[in-house]
Amino acid sequence: MQIDRRSFIAALAASVAGTMAPAGFARADERLFVSSTNDAEGMSALTVFSVDGGTVFRTKLPARGHDIAVHPTLPDLAVFARRPGDWTAVVNRRSGTVITLIRSPEHRHFFGHGMYSADGRLLYATENDLDSGQGVLGVYDVAKNYARVGEQPTHGIGPHDTTFLPDGKTIVVANGGAKTDPASGREILNKHSMEPSLSVFDAATGDLRHKIDFGSRLTGLSMRHLAVAPDGEVVFASQYEGDLDEMPPLVGTLTPDGKTRFLEIPDRDLASLNSYLGAVQLDRSGRLIAATSPRGGFVVFWDRESGRYLGRAPLPDVCGVAASPEKDGLFVVSSGNSGVRLADATRHDVAHVGGSDLYKFMWDNHIEMI
Amino acid sequence: MKRLLAALALIFGAAAPLHAQTADHPQPAAMSDVKARDQRAMALELAEKFVVPAYRDLAKAADAQESAWKGFCRKPTQGAVDKLKTAYNETADAWAQIEFVRYGPIGENFRYERMAYWPERKNAVARSLAKAIGEPDKLTPERFKQTSVAVQGLSAMERLLYEEGAVDALLSGPEAERRCEIGQAISRSVATIADETLEGWRGKGGMIGTLKTADEATVRETVSRLGTDLLGVFQAIGDLKLDAVTGMNPSEARPTLAETWRSGRSARAIAENFQGVKAMTSVIVGDDTEHGAKVLAAIQKAHDEAANLPAPLGEMAEDEKARPRLTQLRQSVRVARDLSGAYIPARLGIVIGFNSLDGD
């Protein structure tokens, strides 16, 4: 069904739901975060909040949003539709109004993740090429009202999260390896022959630098989410779709020169993650890792430098995670039914926060700091 | 303006709402006229009328199992083995009724994982049990607690009693004495976990005492987590206990993925799960029979269908003629899930998460 783009934007722009921050909610110096949320009435929104002040605004979305890319200089926030959605909304982070709405071209749909280039000129989004079944990165020109200006292969199928390395020139993509088609919903069509991989390529030329295939050794270990450290090491978090009686490690790192290692975790802790991680982040120092398992109801922590496992903290339905700017080892985490909390990697526990209305919402998969 | 509203309706009608998007795990709309109960009263009632009685039953069964092992080790006879099996089944039944609760003391100190280790990954129970049998160190409770969680609970106990040749190995032969020690150590461990969990709820400084004076956020968290645990059981039964075993057709059936297949308890375990679900749901329903009756009837139906299966799940899954009854049970689990999913959050006044259900 063709949706009239102009009335769509008009409708969205008219639908900022909320609390436009009157002075006194968030402190002027307090950092803001953004996440997709749903409320008890089933309304999906892009929600900007502060940990102690609560909601700043909520902008209505047509359906569930997934991750959000934060523009380095402009007030633009790009919220990608949850896969297999066909829209990405660009929202003004100060006013909450919709700046524009990007629709995926024919035979493409969004996978839920993307990023801005370091200079803020381009927006990249992971997408599915429905004709070939291969993953692509759609490229959109910010200055041209986000017109689609090109695409690059992700060198794999079912790409999910993507990130630039700190050089601002090299792109890493987590190729989940699962073949899906909106015609059959979210069903994995190649359950027994998935091809998970990590690809590292040049943003300008598309030249592939490294490709790490997991399929031959670890069929079913779907690469999903990424976090990049200041030194260029990338942390990946995966989900295992294979045999129920197997239990591969889920978190590892990839160096810029293409070397991977898995991070150790005791079996009893690994078992409690139910083979599923929903998000991963590094703390503000870039040294400590937090990964979330909504299916297990735990946040798990590692020290990236030593590779040492630090422990787990319980929070049901936890998924969103972002580094807190307050101190090393502290993370803002969110849950579908327990609101927003602060998780501490060294004490491995979670604490309540001051934002009084945050518990009311069902927090979707990802949080970003803005 | 009219046109804009029409466009809005069109757009938001066309763009799938939340529950339609997750077709694999639909979240039905809440029952709109359900009256939410006071959360503190609800939390205390759930603790006192469901959680504590269930852990009390578990502790009692676990004590009996510990006694049975003491008796067996003094005098290892076939008759004593039968008593061990009875005690194991009663303990496993009691656990199955409260197994879906992960909130509270059971979630601390790896008690949940130590009580039962399932689904068994990386063959952990077999490996750790073989290791325990092979290493003749003294099994003090302190030391046993330091061993693999997989060997400390009911999953290892099942193997000790039901694995091929297990009974013979218990009664005679070079490993008999060691297997007896391990059985005793497991039975002690299970009883201790049950006691600690029970006291963690009802004892001094326990959950119930805390709930009486706790702030609203803590009370809300308790209700929310117990409610989430309750609704999670349908997914666990559907995905792990049924779908993983049945596959798409008889040749895809995986009988050894069934829970407690060695002791032939796979269907009985599901029936006991629903027994617990029913007990907890009854407390939540209270006097709201208008809505509650429907939900409870759906749970009862799923319970009855599981309880009346004529053979273990794996055996039925491999038999084309028997599979329709598993399909029927699977459907009843869905119906019970949907009705509970519409009713429980409204009645408890909580939001239920979804990240754990739909994945990305």
Side-chain angles (χ1 to χ4, degrees):
Chain A
M1 166 184 259
Q2 205 61 32
I3 297 174
D4 170 14
R5 186 182 138 100
R6 273 178 60 191
S7 49
F8 191 104
I9 296 169
L12 286 177
S15 68
V16 178
T19 30
M20 292 302 303
F25 272 128
R27 296 195 316 266
D29 62 338
E30 201 176 2
R31 288 303 295 258
L32 298 181
F33 296 84
V34 61
S35 176
S36 300
T37 56
N38 300 279
D39 65 18
E41 282 73 47
M43 183 182 107
S44 297
L46 182 77
T47 299
V48 168
F49 67 100
S50 79
V51 170
D52 285 321
T55 305
V56 176
F57 67 75
R58 304 182 70 227
T59 297
K60 190 168 184 169
L61 298 174
R64 284 175 65 181
H66 196 65
D67 201 9
I68 298 112
V70 180
H71 195 282
T73 51
L74 297 172
D76 299 18
L77 300 172
V79 52
F80 305 94
R82 179 170 183 265
R83 76 182 166 96
D86 63 357
W87 55 268
T88 290
V90 183
V91 175
N92 184 308
R93 80 177 77 163
R94 293 200 267 273
S95 65
T97 52
V98 178
I99 295 167
T100 192
L101 190 93
I102 308 166
R103 304 301 302 275
S104 56
E106 294 239 345
H107 306 284
R108 300 280 184 281
H109 70 76
F110 292 113
F111 270 125
H113 287 266
M115 62 194 169
Y116 284 100
S117 57
D119 61 10
R121 227 168 40 79
L122 301 171
L123 176 74
Y124 295 84
T126 49
E127 299 173 0
N128 200 2
D129 177 345
L130 291 173
D131 297 325
S132 68
Q134 294 294 307
V136 298
L137 267 187
V139 187
Y140 300 84
D141 190 329
V142 174
K144 291 182 183 157
N145 197 31
Y146 290 88
R148 199 171 198 275
V149 292
E151 68 178 29
Q152 297 188 342
T154 69
H155 308 278
I157 58 176
H160 198 63
D161 202 358
T162 179
T163 182
F164 269 102
L165 291 184
D167 65 8
K169 297 173 184 160
T170 313
I171 291 174
V172 182
V173 174
N175 289 302
K179 198 167 262 182
T180 55
D181 190 308
S184 47
R186 296 162 59 87
E187 188 191 345
I188 297 176
L189 303 173
N190 59 340
K191 188 103 187 164
H192 302 292
S193 56
M194 284 171 55
E195 299 166 25
S197 69
L198 295 170
S199 58
V200 184
F201 53 91
D202 188 293
T205 64
D207 289 348
L208 186 64
R209 300 251 175 83
H210 308 283
K211 186 176 177 195
I212 294 89
D213 282 305
F214 294 86
S216 49
R217 284 183 298 135
L218 294 160
T219 313
L221 190 66
S222 186
M223 297 291 129
R224 311 297 294 176
H225 295 103
L226 304 170
V228 62
D231 61 10
E233 190 171 51
V234 174
V235 183
F236 57 86
S238 56
Q239 301 166 1
Y240 185 60
E241 300 281 354
D243 276 350
L244 200 63
D245 43 8
E246 294 298 323
M247 189 170 69
L250 299 173
V251 171
T253 62
L254 164 73
T255 58
D257 59 352
K259 292 195 179 72
T260 55
R261 62 168 172 162
F262 280 100
L263 298 180
E264 285 188 20
I265 174 171
D267 276 353
R268 64 181 190 181
D269 292 60
L270 180 55
S272 72
L273 306 180
N274 278 343
S275 293
Y276 185 97
L277 292 174
V280 66
Q281 282 292 355
L282 288 151
D283 77 334
R284 68 170 194 182
S285 74
R287 193 168 67 93
L288 300 174
I289 300 165
T292 54
S293 172
R295 292 193 185 164
F298 287 103
V299 191
V300 277
F301 306 98
W302 285 266
D303 182 321
R304 184 172 63 88
E305 278 170 17
S306 64
R308 196 163 62 89
Y309 174 69
L310 301 176
R312 61 176 196 175
L315 185 65
D317 213 53
V318 61
C319 200
V321 56
S324 163
E326 302 282 331
K327 69 170 190 156
D328 289 359
L330 197 63
F331 295 89
V332 178
V333 292
S334 65
S335 151
N337 61 10
S338 303
V340 173
R341 305 286 171 94
L342 285 171
D344 189 309
T346 43
R347 296 209 314 262
H348 35 88
D349 65 2
V350 287
H352 287 266
V353 299
S356 56
D357 64 344
L358 300 179
Y359 76 88
K360 288 181 184 160
F361 307 115
M362 301 154 71
W363 295 83
D364 220 309
N365 293 187
H366 300 292
I367 307 177
E368 300 294 340
M369 187 162 71
I370 59 179
Chain B
M1 187 64 195
K2 240 182 184 168
R3 274 183 63 189
L4 179 67
L5 285 177
L8 252 173
L10 190 69
I11 291 156
F12 294 128
L18 177 62
H19 61 269
Q21 274 216 335
T22 54
D24 41 345
H25 304 292
Q27 299 195 352
M31 294 184 191
S32 54
D33 54 341
V34 172
K35 196 165 165 280
R37 295 187 62 186
D38 173 72
Q39 286 193 327
R40 192 179 307 269
M42 185 78 261
L44 283 168
E45 218 174 295
L46 280 174
E48 286 164 348
K49 291 188 178 168
F50 168 65
V51 176
V52 164
Y55 283 130
R56 200 190 293 131
D57 289 350
L58 176 62
K60 211 173 136 197
D63 278 349
Q65 178 171 249
E66 195 182 347
S67 303
W69 273 94
K70 271 186 199 145
F72 173 80
C73 291
R74 271 198 303 271
K75 202 173 172 198
T77 63
Q78 181 61 52
V81 170
D82 295 342
K83 281 185 187 155
L84 292 182
K85 287 186 172 177
T86 304
Y88 161 77
N89 277 292
E90 283 171 0
T91 310
D93 284 350
W95 171 241
Q97 292 194 24
I98 187 82
E99 168 197 310
F100 62 86
V101 172
R102 287 170 177 256
Y103 178 63
I106 194 71
E108 294 160 15
N109 299 327
F110 290 94
R111 290 194 185 103
Y112 190 88
E113 292 85 353
R114 284 157 54 213
M115 178 61 83
Y117 195 82
W118 189 84
E120 181 187 2
R121 301 178 201 270
K122 292 165 75 171
N123 212 15
V125 179
R127 278 190 296 123
S128 54
L129 189 59
K131 188 159 172 271
I133 292 169
E135 281 177 5
D137 56 339
K138 201 163 164 2
L139 291 173
T140 63
E142 294 72 31
R143 189 172 297 181
F144 195 56
K145 209 174 153 181
Q146 302 308 316
T147 59
S148 162
V149 294
V151 81
Q152 297 178 40
L154 294 170
S155 307
M157 186 66 98
E158 188 202 17
R159 287 187 185 246
L160 219 46
L161 291 170
Y162 289 96
E163 210 156 37
E164 213 182 327
V167 170
D168 291 341
L170 269 174
L171 287 171
S172 61
E175 290 178 0
E177 198 178 324
R178 183 63 179 171
R179 283 174 178 261
C180 191
E181 282 172 15
I182 293 168
Q184 271 194 287
I186 296 172
S187 70
R188 252 195 322 262
S189 156
V190 168
T192 304
I193 296 167
D195 284 342
E196 287 171 354
T197 306
L198 178 60
E199 287 311 306
W201 278 92
R202 70 171 185 190
K204 213 175 159 205
M207 301 284 293
I208 289 181
T210 306
L211 281 170
K212 285 180 177 158
T213 56
D215 60 15
E216 266 179 50
T218 307
V219 171
R220 185 170 58 233
E221 168 145 351
T222 300
V223 172
S224 165
R225 291 197 56 175
L226 287 174
T228 305
D229 285 349
L230 173 63
L231 294 177
V233 73
F234 300 104
Q235 210 65 44
I237 291 173
D239 290 355
L240 296 178
K241 301 191 180 192
L242 289 171
D243 288 353
V245 180
T246 50
M248 299 298 282
N249 52 58
S251 63
E252 273 187 24
R254 301 277 304 271
T256 59
L257 284 185
E259 185 189 23
T260 52
W261 61 272
R262 292 175 181 82
S263 52
R265 288 183 48 85
S266 51
R268 175 170 165 178
I270 293 174
E272 293 296 335
N273 291 155
F274 278 118
Q275 200 66 34
V277 169
K278 197 176 103 187
M280 181 167 165
T281 305
S282 299
V283 175
I284 295 172
V285 166
D287 58 6
D288 179 26
T289 44
E290 185 198 341
H291 303 94
K294 252 191 301 184
V295 181
L296 286 166
I299 294 166
Q300 185 69 49
K301 183 165 188 284
H303 166 275
D304 293 350
E305 285 172 9
N308 293 329
L309 291 180
L313 296 181
E315 205 175 295
M316 295 185 69
E318 287 180 318
D319 176 0
E320 190 70 75
K321 288 199 194 89
R323 287 176 66 92
R325 290 190 67 168
L326 297 182
T327 310
Q328 171 58 45
L329 170 60
R330 183 71 181 86
Q331 183 54 25
S332 297
V333 174
R334 274 193 202 101
V335 171
R337 175 197 67 186
D338 288 352
L339 283 169
S340 299
Y343 178 73
I344 299 290
R347 183 70 171 154
L348 296 180
I350 59 171
V351 289
I352 288 299
F354 55 103
N355 295 313
S356 58
L357 298 179
D358 56 20
D360 217 332

